[in-house]
Amino acid sequence: MSHNAGAQGIGANYGRQGDNLPTPDKALQGSGIQVIIGTLNIDVPTLANDPAFATTWLQTNIIPFASSVNFRCISVGNEMVPSQNASSILPAMQNLRTALIAANLNIPISTAVFQNVLASPFPPSAGTWHPDAASIMVPLVQYMQANGYPLLYNAYPYFAYRDNPNDIRLDYALMSTSEVIVTDGALGYTNLLDASLDALYWALEKVGAPNVEIVVAETGWPSEGEEHDQATIDNARTYNSNLIKHGQFGTPKRPGKGLEAYIFALFNED
């Protein structure tokens, strides 16, 4: 869910993996806050194979609330590419689109993917789809291009830093330097999130989907719970505050286009 500030929107993920959480109706109905709602991964094959189930899903989760909740997007599953059920995503999206049209509702449909859908994110202009993901992602993003739908992207510079601290500077991952660390042709990168997003934009362009908007459906920095010594409250605060400040400027490849991003998470998980 997010609150828009001009072209830029910064929101928070409302995860349900916690105790004593306020119920969603206390936070969302009538608020005007934009909401991305996701289907369960286990429901995606049924959504793909049974148009009646897609209609029932909408009647249960969307239609009763459509007049009081501002639905930004429906996400068909989360981080399902690559997986054995990934081929169900596109037909599930198609069935939901048909059901939305029948209900006279215009809500974008997407799916949320993780950084592993890219094979080579460095330098950004080398961005291409991972061989394990390409056969799924190419028709998906072309469908998004044709219908004006965004691509939801879960981007965590922390994990790239954690797995490669010798090659990735902490301030580059935290967006806390103005120094150009990576040069890619005429473009210069001061932070890892921009580089990751532009690698995805390059991958989209290479398969005929240049107008697909990237929405950062999850991002953030762990405040504890990781073995790595950089999972601290201070670093989480730094990353999130820099994200909010930097998001209005766009990326080197898409300058001036405000970033829509959702910080993980509103509440700590158990």
Side-chain angles (χ1 to χ4, degrees):
M1 49 191 178
S2 80
H3 177 72
N4 269 326
Q8 175 202 21
I10 295 292
N13 296 111
Y14 186 92
R16 308 305 305 278
Q17 308 297 317
D19 291 326
N20 304 314
L21 300 179
T23 56
D25 60 304
K26 296 291 191 291
L28 299 175
Q29 281 192 275
S31 67
I33 294 173
Q34 288 188 331
V35 178
I36 295 177
I37 183 171
T39 74
L40 296 174
N41 287 4
I42 57 172
D43 285 343
V44 173
T46 315
L47 287 165
N49 296 321
D50 185 358
F53 182 72
T55 299
T56 300
W57 190 91
L58 284 183
Q59 289 172 341
T60 302
N61 297 288
I62 302 294
I63 291 172
F65 313 105
S67 62
S68 60
V69 174
N70 181 6
F71 287 108
R72 168 69 175 93
C73 187
I74 297 170
S75 176
V76 176
N78 182 55
E79 297 184 3
M80 290 182 64
V81 185
S83 74
Q84 65 180 35
N85 289 327
S87 60
S88 295
I89 297 171
L90 182 54
M93 291 174 69
Q94 292 167 330
N95 283 341
L96 282 169
R97 173 176 164 80
T98 300
L100 282 167
I101 292 170
N104 201 29
L105 291 173
N106 183 23
I107 301 172
I109 308 167
S110 188
T111 190
V113 297
F114 189 58
Q115 297 158 195
N116 60 349
V117 297
L118 292 180
S120 175
F122 183 85
S125 59
T128 53
W129 304 106
H130 193 282
D132 293 341
S135 65
I136 300 294
M137 290 305 303
V138 173
L140 268 180
V141 300
Q142 290 173 345
Y143 182 75
M144 294 170 187
Q145 167 87 16
N147 289 289
Y149 293 159
L151 175 62
L152 305 179
Y153 186 48
N154 297 344
Y156 288 97
Y158 169 79
F159 291 127
Y161 169 78
R162 178 196 67 184
D163 296 340
N164 205 2
N166 292 329
D167 294 328
I168 297 175
R169 282 175 33 174
L170 180 61
D171 57 355
Y172 183 65
L174 286 170
M175 291 188 282
S176 57
T177 178
S178 57
E179 180 185 348
V180 172
I181 307 297
V182 171
T183 300
D184 184 11
L187 303 180
Y189 290 87
T190 62
N191 70 82
L192 187 53
L193 180 64
D194 278 353
S196 176
L197 291 171
D198 278 358
L200 191 53
Y201 278 125
W202 275 106
L204 288 166
E205 287 186 6
K206 290 170 185 174
V207 296
N211 299 321
V212 172
E213 176 190 2
I214 298 172
V215 171
V216 179
E218 289 183 21
T219 191
W221 194 280
S223 57
E224 61 176 323
E226 286 270 309
E227 295 177 7
H228 203 285
D229 60 359
Q230 299 299 346
T232 66
I233 290 175
D234 281 347
N235 281 344
R237 181 187 299 116
T238 297
Y239 179 85
N240 291 340
S241 61
N242 286 339
L243 172 75
I244 292 167
K245 287 185 291 188
H246 179 76
Q248 62 187 302
F249 300 113
T251 70
K253 187 166 172 58
R254 300 286 171 93
K257 180 173 173 52
L259 180 66
E260 181 179 343
Y262 296 79
I263 296 171
F264 191 91
L266 196 59
F267 304 101
N268 277 334
E269 297 187 339
D270 289 345

